[in-house]
Amino acid sequence: MHRSHYDAVIVGGGHNGLVAASYLTRAGRRVLVLERLPHVGGLAISTQAFPGVEARLSRYSYLVSLLPSRIVADLGLRLDLRRRRFASYTPLGATGLLVDGGDAERTAASFARVTGGTGDHEQWNRFYAMTAGVARRVAPTLLEPLRDRAGMRDVVADAGAWRDLFERPIGEVAAERFGDDVVRGVVLTDALIGTFADPARDLLANRCFLYHVIGDGTGDWNVPVGGMGAVSGALADAARRGGAEIRTGAEVLAIDPGGEVAFRDADGAEHTVSGDHVLVNTPPAVLARLLGEAPPEAPEGAQLKVNMVLSRLPRLKDTSVDPAEAFAGTFHINESRDQLALAYEQASAGVIPALPPAEVYCHSLTDPSILGPSLRGSGAHTMTLFGLHMPARLFRKDPEKSRNEALAATMASIDAVLAEPLEDCLLRAPDGSLCVEAKSPVDLENEAGLPGGHIFHRDLSWPYAEDAADTGRWGVETPHERILLCGAGARRGGGVSGIPGHNAAMAVLGERS
């Protein structure tokens, strides 16, 4: 039987697979992309989540930081990524901590009101000047072959920054640098997104923090106009322009180390294709299953994602800040250092945190295009919530009951910092239901095929070679020469970045820089 042969078969049409396909086709390679779902984009998609409500929500991933401008330029992507003026707001009763990227004096005054002095604001500026320096130097290396630890330390070229970000627990650093518990917590949230760790002891939190502050050399978290689906759509267009063949509804059944890939199409027919290389845009645990190998240690995701549509923005207890300012950036909910520590302790004991730490932002404040004309005119907005310290273990026994309990606790946590119940502001769909949906790690495991619901596919790695044998490689290699990782589970993967897709393509093309 004749079997189609390709230079590369890409398993998984998420954004990283599309990046790899685009680079390879631009180099003249024949590429096939196989995607299980009826659409490309993986978790970087926009969805009308509520029937009859014209709002295109970024259902899973929702902001862009790590996508390098070099990839955007190389692939000619037509994207509008808008910077958020307001970095964050943390409500504290009748006052709150506002970080206004357009008004340094207003930010300084807010720090003074909350902390009672100037020390923490001065430390804030010094700390983030340090992380900005690290970002400028480290970000370009993510698209290059791996350096060893000493080589990365030379790139950082700042002994204090290396010690504080790579060697000491980030919680210890925050406690030393900042006197105010709320300020410490705002810093530490970047170390805990999708990561269940104790930042006072676990350097896994440092790795998460690094990926949240080095994006594209600036660390800015930008809003994709049109939602995350616009990012995947632009990448799919680039891949198709290059000549990539993209097949949706194609579930991969098995991968052979020799390069054969068996899949089932949308009609149920089974096929086998082969490739000089197979680039796998799935978690390593899924790759092991497809290869018929023993799976690695199961990863554990840790988040509660809640998507909402509001009829209007909720009122704040702090009347000095406009809700349109507070919710345009990251709105921190019960995320002081001590509150984070208590939630971690409770979740570690197998209990849903009593006052779950979370953060929200309203995409539509920066990009109203995701709303239909009638919603825009009515004052409606989308609201995205990301809950911390919600590990998969909390949802295993009874996923639906646990999800409902976690959502109820999270809504109560939000209500504790607002001037009115958030439910009063939720839009109702035409059928009368409230426009709110929650996704636990177990939901992501079941719906998106992510083992443990881990949004990074597995725990994030350091952005350098930890094994001497990997120095000079691309961080995408597997024990099988023809099989490469091109997804978030590769070294320097995680987030909406395209970095592992680029690096896998470079490994195929034999590029060294």
Side-chain angles (χ1 to χ4, degrees):
M1 181 177 66
H2 174 72
R3 289 175 178 169
S4 296
H5 184 81
Y6 297 84
D7 295 308
V9 177
I10 298 177
V11 177
H15 75 281
N16 278 309
L18 297 171
V19 167
S22 299
Y23 273 103
L24 291 173
T25 55
R26 285 167 59 87
R29 301 303 198 268
R30 185 172 182 233
V31 176
L32 170 67
V33 179
L34 299 172
E35 169 55 48
R36 175 180 62 90
L37 298 173
H39 57 78
V40 295
L43 297 188
I45 58 171
S46 301
T47 305
Q48 186 172 332
F50 307 109
V53 178
E54 292 184 66
R56 298 193 310 281
L57 299 173
S58 297
R59 195 169 211 165
Y60 301 108
S61 54
Y62 52 102
L63 288 171
V64 176
S65 172
L66 285 161
L67 177 64
S69 53
R70 177 175 153 189
I71 289 179
V72 174
D74 283 352
L75 302 183
L77 302 182
R78 302 178 182 93
L79 285 177
D80 183 0
L81 303 175
R82 294 185 184 170
R83 186 172 180 270
R84 302 183 300 173
R85 169 179 166 171
F86 298 96
S88 70
Y89 175 74
T90 305
L92 301 164
T95 186
L97 181 64
L98 180 71
V99 181
D100 182 348
D103 191 334
E105 290 185 3
R106 189 181 185 194
T107 299
S110 183
F111 267 85
R113 280 194 302 274
V114 169
T115 67
T118 62
D120 271 6
H121 183 243
E122 292 167 358
Q123 282 289 351
W124 177 278
N125 288 335
R126 282 196 285 270
F127 181 72
Y128 283 105
M130 176 191 75
T131 65
V134 172
R136 286 192 301 271
R137 292 186 285 271
V138 171
T141 73
L142 304 182
L143 296 177
E144 298 171 354
L146 288 164
R147 290 163 169 76
D148 61 11
R149 180 181 171 88
M152 184 57 71
R153 188 168 58 236
D154 290 342
V155 167
V156 170
D158 180 332
W162 179 265
R163 183 177 61 251
D164 283 355
L165 299 181
F166 291 81
E167 293 184 340
R168 298 175 61 202
I170 189 66
E172 180 181 295
V173 173
E176 180 180 280
R177 284 179 174 260
F178 303 101
D180 188 86
D181 194 60
V182 170
V183 176
R184 292 170 176 169
V186 172
V187 172
L188 292 178
T189 56
D190 278 338
L192 299 171
I193 297 294
T195 300
F196 191 58
D198 179 355
R201 294 192 293 268
D202 193 344
L203 290 179
L204 172 58
N206 289 57
R207 285 176 260 161
C208 184
F209 183 82
L210 275 172
Y211 282 91
H212 280 85
V213 299
I214 65 175
D216 199 27
T218 67
D220 290 337
W221 285 87
N222 297 317
V223 176
V225 173
M228 291 303 301
V231 177
S232 293
L235 288 168
D237 289 345
R240 291 189 177 103
R241 284 198 305 270
E245 180 183 342
I246 299 176
R247 297 193 61 168
T248 57
E251 181 180 8
V252 172
L253 305 173
I255 299 173
D256 183 88
E260 287 192 346
V261 179
F263 70 94
R264 181 187 298 115
D265 66 23
D267 296 323
E270 295 188 6
H271 310 266
T272 301
V273 294
S274 61
D276 292 339
H277 287 90
V278 179
L279 279 60
V280 182
N281 186 23
T282 71
V286 174
L287 172 58
R289 175 174 58 77
L290 294 173
L291 286 167
E293 298 175 348
E297 183 179 352
E300 182 179 43
Q303 70 282 322
L304 184 74
K305 177 79 187 313
V306 184
N307 297 310
M308 294 169 273
V309 180
L310 309 178
S311 60
R312 60 177 174 80
L313 296 175
R315 298 193 312 274
L316 304 176
K317 296 177 182 178
D318 179 0
T319 58
S320 70
V321 175
D322 189 326
E325 298 174 329
F327 292 107
T330 300
F331 185 98
H332 294 281
I333 301 161
N334 294 312
E335 289 187 322
S336 73
R337 190 274 309 270
D338 286 351
Q339 287 171 322
L340 290 169
L342 178 59
Y344 177 79
E345 179 184 327
Q346 291 172 337
S348 295
V351 178
I352 291 171
L355 198 67
E359 46 201 57
V360 300
Y361 97 106
C362 295
H363 182 121
S364 52
L365 285 168
T366 303
D367 168 30
S369 75
I370 64 169
L371 298 176
S374 62
L375 281 182
R376 283 201 301 272
S378 72
H381 283 288
T382 64
M383 177 175 277
T384 296
L385 178 143
F386 198 96
L388 306 185
H389 291 330
M390 289 285 184
R393 70 188 74 170
L394 302 182
F395 303 90
R396 288 287 179 205
K397 184 176 180 181
D398 190 334
E400 184 172 358
K401 179 182 178 184
S402 298
R403 184 203 315 115
N404 291 338
E405 290 176 356
L407 177 59
T410 298
M411 296 298 276
S413 185
I414 300 172
D415 288 348
V417 302
L418 297 177
E420 61 180 326
L422 184 61
E423 185 172 331
D424 290 353
C425 303
L426 288 172
L427 187 75
R428 287 190 179 272
D431 65 2
S433 61
L434 292 172
C435 291
V436 56
E437 69 166 13
K439 302 288 183 182
S440 75
V442 172
D443 293 324
L444 288 185
E445 182 174 73
N446 294 334
E447 297 173 13
L450 294 181
H454 203 308
I455 59 174
F456 305 134
H457 290 193
R458 60 179 169 184
D459 288 345
L460 291 165
S461 58
W462 294 112
Y464 54 77
E466 296 180 70
D467 186 323
D470 290 331
T471 304
R473 303 172 85 186
W474 285 98
V476 299
E477 297 80 5
T478 74
H480 308 290
E481 184 178 357
R482 299 174 75 168
I483 313 296
L484 302 173
L485 285 170
C486 73
R491 188 166 290 272
R492 304 179 292 190
V496 177
S497 75
I499 291 168
H502 167 277
N503 292 347
M506 295 306 106
V508 169
L509 298 173
E511 298 291 339
R512 303 304 300 164
S513 64

